[in-house]
Amino acid sequence: MKFFTIPLLFFCFDAQSQELSKPENPAISFRNQLSVFPQEKIYLHTDKPFYITGEKIWFRTHLVNAENHIPASASLYVYVEMFNPVDSLISRVKIRNSNGAYYGYMDIPEDIPAGDYTLRAYTNFMRNLDENYLCTKTIRIGNPKNLLHVEPKFSFGEDGTTNVDFSFFDSPEGKTVVPKSLQMNINSNEMKALEVKPDGTAGVNFKMPVNASKRVMLLEADDPLYPARQFIQIPASDTDFDVTFYPEGGSLLQGVGCRVAFKALMSNGRPANVEGVLYDQHGNERGKISTGYMGMGSFIVIPEEGTSYYMVCTNDGQKTKRFELPAALKEGYALSVNNKNNIYVSVLKSATDDRHETLYLLAHVRGTVYYSERWDESREFIALPKKQLPSGVLHLVLFDAGLNPVSERLVFVNNDDQARLTYENDQKSFVVRSPVNSRITLTDHDGNPLSGSFSVSVTADNAVTADTVSNILTHLLLTSDLRGNIENPAAYFTDDRSMELDMLMMTQGWRRYDIVAMAKGQFAHPAIPIERSAEISGEVKGGLFLNKPSRKAKVSIVSSGASCFDLLETDSEGRFSYKGCDQPDSTEFIVRVVSKSNTKHVMLHVDADTFPEWTFPIRTSAEIEQESFQKYVEQAKEQDEKYKEDKWTLSLPEVTVTARHIPKSVVRASYIVDEKQIRKFNDLKWVLNTIPRVQAGGTVLYYGTPIRKLTVDDEINEPFVFESFFISQMLWRIKVEEVKSIYFSIIHEGMPLGFGQTLPPETELVIICKNIYDVFERKENNFKLIQPLGYQKPVEFYAPKYDTPEAREEETLDMRTTTVHWQPDVRTDSLGMAAFGFYTGDTESSCTVVIEGVTAEGKIIRHEEKILRVEK
């Protein structure tokens, strides 16, 4: 038996250039595939699982190599988005790599309806895979302005009609209320008014396909006393169900005892409880089944030649359905696994199959091959030493002589091989507004120190329940390698869930690469490169009909503030690309064709930013406990009222409201041309020629020397600054009637340098317009004003310091009632140690500390700790 690993980083060559033994060919193909198309995984850590409108979502994305979970930082940017339940984009931010870490925040708009929203995180390079491999996380958002509590009750008619009966209550007190105006829509269709009865109830019925990808209702109550805007998920009828069968190894074999896993789901996608009886084609009973955890289960069957089988299943609602089992193969193979202390692998063969084919067995975890050898059919099984495998999804593949997969099996390896974290603080309990000094020690399972980076969230237990559904461990080891939705993945890592986890493996598939093509050396290549810089690209067309590529056209690009500017030349296809535009969000760029004799007879097109579409329905991974969430929203309402009361007691110092900062060149201007003087002329050149010793023609000269800088401003918006070549190109775009004033500054008149040489004069020109967008948004074929998505500027989490008696006694309200502390990037030293600290708030509550991250070696960091009750 051969048991080995192939380290990608140290073993790279052309597989076609060497003669290799047949058993190693699949392993070589795996390695070469990873070398031409390495993949990324990303995990999104948020400060808490639910929010209210107006809050910030604090987050860090942990980006790793998909093969070994070593932190990855080649991508310059990570994108984080928020979608509402009807798939509409609410917000998108672009996070720049900061010393190997990607973290930021997202503002929740004040006016969005309450409901379940989904966050999505990815890099541009991850767009080479389908949407299943981007990281998604469902959060619940409440709206404290919703004073109307809505209780919908759904029922379903036999004709497919969905009936909804609404009851309405006062949110704080629970008394029945009658909202004055109520309307609703389904899946963003037209709003319809609902009639509310005097007893505070309303009803509606409608038809919706059972397999509808979106099932969302928006309910709005326009009432001055009891307003409400809320998304409500519409369930599908739970009377119908479906059962799917998954023979171990992929096939049933005649005359062989085969294990068959099954999964029962209701029409709404949730697990179903069913009981079933197995029959053969003659109606003879062959066994009974019942579902277990998450609607899954398994049974053993020995298929007979010429016999088919079916299962009659009954759900909790006493509905009975018949399901056919897959036909058994007369000739075929199937992998069978016994996952104990070691992983015992057998190759089953149909009883009447007398072939003696050449077969190869390969085992890999995340693309790294750990076993590859020709199968010896004289052996009943082989044993893979589990302790030598990394934790995660082990993928077993049986190939025939032509390297075609004939059987596959997933096995989950759950070793104690991740990072071990020890948390300590300097006290057992704390009072309000006191320091909490935390110390972290990070080691491997042998006690050796580990270097790593992690994010820390501290939340108050009386307001927030920590996420019990998913975490960095479940995402990187389990859900990120499987297709489809895994409901409540964290449950598989608690207690003894090995049997349930094995059934999950039998009902899922590993599909990061195309195994069939890869085994034969037909490798997938990324179409989208790693994003190492921001880019502005486009094309220039000319000709009589403006449809021919314009070669060697000069294109100028300049950003507001002049931090980016360049002069480009189009290629033979009329294309141009600028990759030096790494700018913060809201930065604007002027793109202009400047070199053709008739620049008005060209068409400039600038490529718009593109982002992955949302193609599958939003689904909540698990129900958030409604009682905890409602308590959180009610506390937010109380906090808001306290804040309103508190803010009016603040003594504010006298302030003076002024306009935006005026450029220094305006303050020190040598010459000023006011609006009255400007109105005497109808050409900007003539106005500039009134300034002593200035000559304005093709360019602007002072004593024969071109001016150094041109600033176009309106004292409201961000100014545009131009230098050198760009000055003359932009200056003549400005119409004289758009100008309010002109400031000309002489920095120096020229200075002698010695040896008969003189430094030329340095001058600046500032033109104040009425509105710079009137200048730059004027539609012309050769000119574009664009605002691509820029990176988010860092903002620190609000962290007050109560380091003096006066600060501790200050009556100003501490607003940290839910998230007490958020620190996105904590790093251990060479001894595996790190420290962080914060002050407790005003809330009397115990706190939960959640720490998530990855070490430099690819070990996952996950720890949860309780801080004892904070008291007055």
Side-chain angles (χ1 to χ4, degrees):
M1 182 177 67
K2 189 179 298 181
F3 190 85
F4 59 93
T5 62
I6 304 178
L8 173 65
L9 297 179
F10 305 102
F11 195 52
C12 295
F13 55 86
D14 184 1
Q16 303 300 321
S17 65
Q18 301 193 22
E19 281 292 319
L20 298 168
S21 62
K22 204 69 169 178
E24 292 183 344
N25 274 346
I28 298 299
S29 295
F30 269 71
R31 185 191 59 250
N32 287 343
Q33 175 63 88
L34 264 66
S35 68
V36 300
F37 188 4
Q39 295 183 8
E40 298 170 321
K41 287 183 182 180
I42 193 168
Y43 170 73
L44 183 65
H45 180 197
T46 58
D47 61 313
K48 54 192 174 188
F50 42 77
Y51 299 84
I52 59 169
T53 54
E55 280 192 300
K56 274 184 168 60
I57 301 170
W58 298 96
F59 64 81
R60 174 173 175 180
T61 59
H62 294 277
L63 183 66
V64 299
N65 183 304
E67 177 195 6
N68 50 32
H69 294 162
I70 290 175
S73 58
S75 293
L76 182 59
Y77 304 111
V78 161
Y79 299 85
V80 180
E81 302 163 331
M82 180 166 68
F83 293 86
N84 70 12
V86 287
D87 304 352
S88 297
L89 178 71
I90 301 300
S91 181
R92 176 183 289 122
V93 293
K94 182 177 181 179
I95 306 300
R96 186 168 62 167
N97 184 337
S98 176
N99 194 24
Y102 305 82
Y103 52 87
Y105 66 94
M106 183 174 287
D107 287 315
I108 302 175
E110 294 270 5
D111 58 349
I112 63 173
D116 289 343
Y117 290 71
T118 299
L119 302 177
R120 180 171 72 172
Y122 59 91
T123 66
N124 234 17
F125 189 63
M126 293 178 72
R127 295 172 61 186
N128 289 293
L129 301 172
D130 68 44
E131 187 173 16
N132 286 280
Y133 296 109
L134 310 186
C135 178
T136 59
K137 182 173 186 175
T138 301
I139 59 173
R140 183 159 293 174
I141 298 177
N143 192 330
K145 296 178 182 177
N146 284 4
L147 301 182
L148 182 69
H149 179 67
V150 182
E151 285 191 4
K153 183 179 180 181
F154 292 89
S155 60
F156 305 94
E158 293 183 0
D159 61 349
T161 301
T162 299
N163 306 297
V164 192
D165 294 312
F166 297 100
S167 300
F168 305 101
F169 304 93
D170 178 277
S171 185
E173 300 178 8
K175 66 179 182 180
T176 300
V177 296
V178 181
K180 291 184 177 180
S181 174
L182 192 69
Q183 54 184 349
M184 57 153 284
N185 68 28
I186 297 175
N187 294 339
S188 300
N189 292 321
E190 184 181 355
M191 295 292 289
K192 294 183 178 180
L194 294 181
E195 181 181 354
V196 183
K197 298 176 183 178
D199 62 352
T201 63
V204 65
N205 58 73
F206 51 87
K207 286 190 176 182
M208 177 178 289
V210 174
N211 59 352
S213 60
K214 288 188 294 185
R215 308 180 64 88
V216 182
M217 174 189 300
L218 175 61
L219 189 71
E220 293 187 353
D222 186 12
D223 189 301
L225 296 178
Y226 298 103
R229 294 186 72 224
Q230 180 178 347
F231 284 117
I232 299 173
Q233 294 287 340
I234 303 171
S237 170
D238 59 3
T239 58
D240 196 13
F241 67 98
D242 187 62
V243 179
T244 308
F245 299 98
Y246 303 89
E248 185 177 24
S251 302
L252 289 177
L253 307 177
Q254 291 182 7
V256 178
C258 301
R259 185 184 177 198
V260 181
F262 61 90
K263 191 169 188 177
L265 294 175
M266 295 184 289
S267 53
N268 59 11
R270 302 302 301 273
N273 293 319
V274 303
E275 293 184 348
V277 180
L278 178 65
Y279 296 94
D280 63 22
Q281 66 191 48
H282 304 295
N284 299 314
E285 183 178 322
R286 294 300 187 96
K288 295 182 178 181
I289 67 161
S290 62
T291 52
Y293 184 72
M294 290 293 177
M296 296 183 296
S298 66
F299 61 92
I300 303 293
V301 63
I302 304 177
E304 299 173 0
E305 183 178 357
T307 303
S308 60
Y309 300 86
Y310 64 91
M311 188 79 71
V312 176
C313 298
T314 304
N315 68 356
D316 289 341
Q318 299 305 305
K319 182 171 184 175
T320 298
K321 296 181 69 174
R322 171 173 166 161
F323 302 94
E324 304 293 329
L325 266 66
L329 301 180
K330 187 175 183 179
E331 292 184 342
Y333 303 95
L335 289 169
S336 179
V337 170
N338 189 358
N339 187 5
K340 299 296 185 182
N341 294 332
N342 290 321
I343 298 172
Y344 299 94
V345 184
S346 303
V347 176
L348 304 182
K349 185 180 179 181
S350 300
T352 58
D353 190 347
D354 58 358
R355 295 174 301 164
H356 298 281
E357 289 188 305
T358 299
L359 300 174
Y360 304 102
L361 178 63
L362 178 141
H364 75 93
V365 178
R366 297 185 290 273
T368 298
V369 176
Y370 289 87
Y371 180 90
S372 179
E373 187 173 320
R374 179 172 175 171
W375 181 256
D376 183 358
E377 64 176 344
S378 67
R379 303 181 62 175
E380 290 186 9
F381 62 86
I382 64 166
L384 301 180
K386 187 185 293 188
K387 293 299 181 184
Q388 296 182 33
L389 294 167
S391 291
V393 178
L394 173 69
H395 186 198
L396 298 164
V397 188
L398 186 68
F399 295 95
D400 64 14
L403 296 182
N404 300 297
V406 295
S407 180
E408 298 181 47
R409 174 70 151 90
L410 298 185
V411 183
F412 193 80
V413 179
N414 194 7
N415 289 325
D416 183 18
D417 56 0
Q418 303 307 315
R420 294 185 176 181
L421 187 147
T422 303
Y423 175 91
E424 298 177 296
N425 55 48
D426 53 356
Q427 299 179 61
K428 291 186 177 181
S429 61
F430 300 86
V431 297
V432 297
R433 300 194 177 189
S434 64
V436 179
N437 298 309
S438 301
R439 298 178 300 278
I440 301 298
T441 304
L442 204 59
T443 65
D444 62 15
H445 65 283
D446 293 324
N448 301 309
L450 294 174
S451 61
S453 169
F454 52 85
S455 43
V456 178
S457 172
V458 182
T459 54
D461 291 340
N462 72 331
V464 176
T465 303
D467 191 348
T468 59
V469 174
S470 63
N471 54 56
I472 190 171
L473 195 71
T474 66
H475 181 78
L476 293 184
L477 294 184
L478 183 64
T479 56
S480 60
D481 283 328
L482 303 177
R483 294 181 70 92
N485 180 60
I486 309 299
E487 190 166 351
N488 200 1
Y492 294 101
F493 291 78
T494 59
D495 302 324
D496 183 15
R497 292 284 190 182
S498 57
M499 290 183 58
E500 290 82 357
L501 191 51
D502 197 49
M503 282 188 285
L504 178 69
M505 293 296 99
M506 292 180 65
T507 58
Q508 299 293 323
W510 187 93
R511 286 294 181 270
R512 277 196 170 268
Y513 299 102
D514 185 340
I515 298 298
V516 176
M518 183 169 63
K520 297 183 177 181
Q522 301 168 3
F523 303 130
H525 293 263
I528 301 173
I530 291 176
E531 189 176 23
R532 302 183 187 276
S533 68
E535 180 181 11
I536 295 175
S537 60
E539 62 181 346
V540 179
K541 291 187 176 182
L544 180 62
F545 299 103
L546 300 177
N547 61 353
K548 295 182 178 180
S550 184
R551 294 182 58 220
K552 294 187 176 183
K554 293 291 190 299
V555 179
S556 69
I557 296 179
V558 62
S559 69
S560 53
S563 51
C564 283
F565 55 89
D566 204 351
L567 185 63
L568 311 172
E569 186 175 86
T570 59
D571 60 17
S572 59
E573 300 296 323
R575 300 283 305 171
F576 64 90
S577 174
Y578 175 52
K579 294 186 177 181
C581 49
D582 181 33
Q583 294 293 303
D585 199 24
S586 300
T587 300
E588 294 173 309
F589 292 83
I590 293 172
V591 185
R592 189 184 186 202
V593 182
V594 296
S595 67
K596 292 295 182 179
S597 57
N598 183 6
T599 56
K600 292 187 178 180
H601 201 65
V602 295
M603 179 64 73
L604 169 66
H605 171 77
V606 179
D607 298 331
D609 289 335
T610 60
F611 303 97
E613 294 182 357
W614 186 279
T615 59
F616 58 80
I618 296 173
R619 295 208 283 185
T620 306
S621 55
E623 290 294 328
I624 295 173
E625 186 181 347
Q626 185 60 28
E627 184 178 346
S628 298
F629 178 69
Q630 196 59 40
K631 181 180 178 182
Y632 175 78
V633 175
E634 294 301 329
Q635 286 186 352
K637 293 177 183 177
E638 294 176 8
Q639 183 75 3
D640 187 54
E641 292 302 319
K642 288 181 181 179
Y643 174 69
K644 288 177 180 177
E645 295 172 5
D646 187 66
K647 70 178 181 178
W648 294 113
T649 65
L650 298 178
S651 298
L652 298 176
E654 182 179 352
V655 295
T656 303
V657 179
T658 62
R660 189 172 54 76
H661 176 68
I662 303 300
K664 289 183 179 179
S665 50
V666 171
V667 177
R668 66 189 180 203
S670 306
Y671 298 97
I672 300 174
V673 185
D674 60 25
E675 191 170 4
K676 183 177 179 181
Q677 294 173 284
I678 293 171
R679 292 297 167 262
K680 297 177 181 179
F681 303 92
N682 58 13
D683 192 308
L684 187 58
K685 295 180 185 178
W686 298 343
V687 178
L688 295 177
N689 279 319
T690 64
I691 301 174
R693 297 180 290 279
V694 169
Q695 296 173 292
T699 184
V700 181
L701 305 175
Y702 177 75
Y703 271 136
T705 301
I707 61 173
R708 185 180 67 87
K709 183 187 295 185
L710 167 65
T711 300
V712 181
D713 199 353
D714 62 5
E715 300 179 356
I716 298 174
N717 299 294
E718 188 70 19
F720 280 90
V721 181
F722 306 93
E723 296 183 358
S724 62
F725 167 82
F726 301 101
I727 294 177
S728 58
Q729 295 296 325
M730 301 311 304
L731 186 61
W732 310 129
R733 181 178 179 82
I734 304 172
K735 296 180 179 180
V736 69
E737 59 267 23
E738 297 170 330
V739 179
K740 289 177 60 178
S741 56
I742 297 173
Y743 299 83
F744 185 73
S745 302
I746 303 171
I747 311 303
H748 61 77
E749 293 277 7
M751 297 182 291
L753 298 175
F755 302 101
Q757 296 185 351
T758 302
L759 184 70
E762 183 177 352
T763 54
E764 293 182 13
L765 180 64
V766 177
I767 298 179
I768 306 297
C769 297
K770 297 175 181 177
N771 189 322
I772 57 175
Y773 290 101
D774 292 340
V775 177
F776 296 129
E777 288 189 341
R778 227 173 18 249
K779 291 185 177 180
E780 294 181 10
N781 288 345
N782 68 323
F783 183 97
K784 299 289 183 182
L785 177 67
I786 62 173
Q787 189 182 91
L789 181 66
Y791 65 82
Q792 185 183 75
K793 292 181 179 179
V795 173
E796 288 191 8
F797 178 79
Y798 165 66
K801 289 185 177 181
Y802 301 114
D803 51 357
T804 65
E806 293 76 16
R808 286 192 290 272
E809 297 299 325
E810 173 63 48
E811 294 184 1
T812 303
L813 191 65
D814 189 326
M815 299 299 293
R816 298 173 302 141
T817 57
T818 55
T819 302
V820 180
H821 184 66
W822 168 256
Q823 196 162 336
D825 190 13
V826 182
R827 300 180 183 233
T828 59
D829 58 21
S830 59
L831 299 177
M833 303 184 71
F836 64 90
F838 60 94
Y839 285 85
T840 58
D842 293 340
T843 303
E844 294 185 74
S845 171
S846 59
C847 295
T848 298
V849 182
V850 175
I851 298 173
E852 295 189 317
V854 181
T855 71
E857 299 83 3
K859 303 293 185 183
I860 299 171
I861 304 168
R862 163 70 189 178
H863 187 80
E864 192 170 309
E865 190 79 25
K866 288 288 184 183
I867 295 178
L868 297 182
R869 185 173 178 83
V870 177
E871 299 177 344
K872 291 289 187 181

